[in-house]
Structure formats: structure tokens, C-alpha cells
Amino acid sequence: MPRGKTASKTPGKPARQLLFSEALHQQKHPPAEDLPPSPRTSMAHDTQGVTVDRILQEISAVSRKLEGMDSAMVALTTETRSMRLDIACFQSQMSGPDQRVATVETQVASWTDRDQELLHLCSKLIDLEDRSRRNNVRLFGFTEGIEGADIFSYLRETLPKLTDITFDPPLEFQRAHRLGPKRQDRNGRPHTITVCMLSHMQTRQLLQAARMQGPFGSGTMQI
């Protein structure tokens, strides 16, 4: 029996110890209870919600701005295309005047060459006129109508006698005439006779004789 008692007492101690340890453990670690959230936690949740709403609002505002920019870009693209069309039309319209200007420039260049030619011809003409005038001789004091019908023969015979010069070859004239209409009254002042000599040497001889001798004949005929 003493063994049986010891057998019954021996397994009872661990059971009590186990219960004691469990009770102690429950006291140290009581079961979790549903506690109300602290004020800080609720404020954090509220702040986070407000921040998300603000971000969403900003994103929506940015999206609206982007939509406006897209519409503006579409309008700008359309306007740019219309401007390109206008520029192409303007260039096609300007091609005609450009060709006309090129034609006018070509004509002006040709006119410049013609102007140079005209200036050269004018200088030649002036020189020829000067040369032709050098052979002009004016005869003063010859009685009106004394030359008769053939003024060339009269001058060819009279001028060598008046100047005492033997011309070899004989005097040759390109033209000879009186200035002004023919006078019917021979007692008046006679018109001047203008003579164009063919030989410049004969012209110089006549003028030199006129300078040296002065008036010829009766003193009224001069060269």
C-alpha cells in the first residue's frame, strides 16, 4: 500500500504545477481585447485620406490642362497647315512676277549695251559734224544774184582771182548756197553765201588768205 500511495501522490504534483503555470502565464499575458483606436491613429488615417483626395484632384486638373493643350496643339497644327498652303499659293503667284523681272533685267542689260553703242555713235556723229563744219566757209558782200544760175562755176572762177591763189586741183565744193530767201532788190544788203569745201587744205588756204589780205575787191567781199 505504501507503494500505492506514493504512486497516487506522485502524479498529482505535476498537474497542480501545470495549472499554476498556466494561471501565472495568463496573468502575465492576458488575452487581447478589442481596444478603441487611438486619436493619433484616426488622425493619420484622416490625413492620409485628405492627401489622396488632393492628389486625385491635382491629377484631374493636370489631365484637364493636358486636354486643353491637346486641343491647342490641334488648332496650331491646323493653322500651320493653312499657313503652308497660303505660302505655297503665294510662291506660285510670285513665280510669274519673278519671271517678268528676269525678263526686264535682261532687256535692261541689252538696253545698256545699246546705250553704249548710241553714245559711241553720238561721239562719232559729233566728230563728223565738227569735221564737216571745219570745211564751211562764209562769203560776205557778194552782190545778190551775181552768181547766176551756177554758183559752183562762179565761185570756182572768182575765188582764185580774189585771193591770188592757184588751186591745184581746182576748187571743189560739196554744197554752196545763200542764206535766206532770194532778194528781189539788189541794192539791199546781200545774203551770205555758205560754202562747204571738199578739201580741208583748200579751206585752210582760203581762210589764211582772208586773214592776211582782209576784204577783197571793192572792200565789201569777205571770207
Side-chain angles (χ1 to χ4, degrees), residues 114-152:
R114 292 179 183 177
D115 291 340
Q116 296 295 329
E117 292 179 359
L118 287 175
L119 289 175
H120 183 64
L121 292 175
C122 287
S123 63
K124 281 188 173 182
L125 181 60
I126 292 171
D127 183 67
L128 289 174
E129 288 180 351
D130 291 341
R131 289 178 182 273
S132 63
R133 288 174 181 174
R134 291 174 187 175
N135 294 332
N136 290 340
V137 178
R138 290 185 178 182
L139 306 177
F140 300 95
F142 287 83
T143 305
E144 193 82 19
I146 195 174
E147 67 275 11
D150 189 359
I151 190 173
F152 296 105

Side-chain angles (χ1 to χ4, degrees), residues 33-213:
E33 296 180 357
D34 294 334
L35 298 175
S38 61
R40 294 183 178 178
T41 306
S42 62
M43 288 178 65
H45 284 294
D46 295 339
T47 305
Q48 185 176 5
V50 171
T51 304
V52 171
D53 292 338
R54 185 175 297 174
I55 291 172
L56 292 175
Q57 291 177 0
E58 292 179 356
I59 290 173
S60 62
V62 170
S63 64
R64 287 194 297 271
K65 290 182 179 179
L66 291 175
E67 290 177 357
M69 292 176 65
D70 290 338
S71 61
M73 288 296 295
V74 170
L76 181 61
T77 304
T78 305
E79 186 175 359
T80 304
R81 289 178 180 176
S82 64
M83 290 176 65
R84 288 180 179 177
L85 293 175
D86 293 338
I87 291 172
C89 182
F90 181 73
Q91 289 178 350
S92 63
Q93 291 178 357
M94 287 298 295
S95 61
D98 289 339
Q99 293 178 357
R100 294 179 182 176
V101 169
T103 304
V104 170
E105 288 178 350
T106 305
Q107 292 179 355
V108 168
S110 63
W111 290 344
T112 304
D113 297 337
R114 292 179 183 177
D115 291 340
Q116 296 295 329
E117 292 179 359
L118 287 175
L119 289 175
H120 183 64
L121 292 175
C122 287
S123 63
K124 281 188 173 182
L125 181 60
I126 292 171
D127 183 67
L128 289 174
E129 288 180 351
D130 291 341
R131 289 178 182 273
S132 63
R133 288 174 181 174
R134 291 174 187 175
N135 294 332
N136 290 340
V137 178
R138 290 185 178 182
L139 306 177
F140 300 95
F142 287 83
T143 305
E144 193 82 19
I146 195 174
E147 67 275 11
D150 189 359
I151 190 173
F152 296 105
S153 299
Y154 173 76
L155 294 176
R156 195 176 292 115
E157 294 177 0
T158 306
L159 289 178
K161 295 177 181 179
L162 293 175
T163 58
D164 295 331
I165 300 174
T166 302
F167 293 97
D168 188 20
L171 291 174
E172 293 294 335
F173 309 102
Q174 183 177 2
R175 61 181 180 272
H177 59 88
R178 286 187 181 269
L179 297 178
K182 185 176 179 181
R183 288 182 182 275
Q184 300 297 330
D185 185 10
R186 294 187 178 183
N187 296 324
R189 183 178 180 180
H191 289 99
T192 304
I193 297 176
T194 301
V195 179
C196 180
M197 311 287 292
L198 288 177
S199 174
H200 183 64
M201 183 61 67
Q202 293 178 352
T203 304
R204 290 183 61 186
Q205 290 176 347
L206 283 174
L207 294 176
Q208 188 175 3
R211 292 189 188 99
M212 293 177 63
Q213 299 179 13

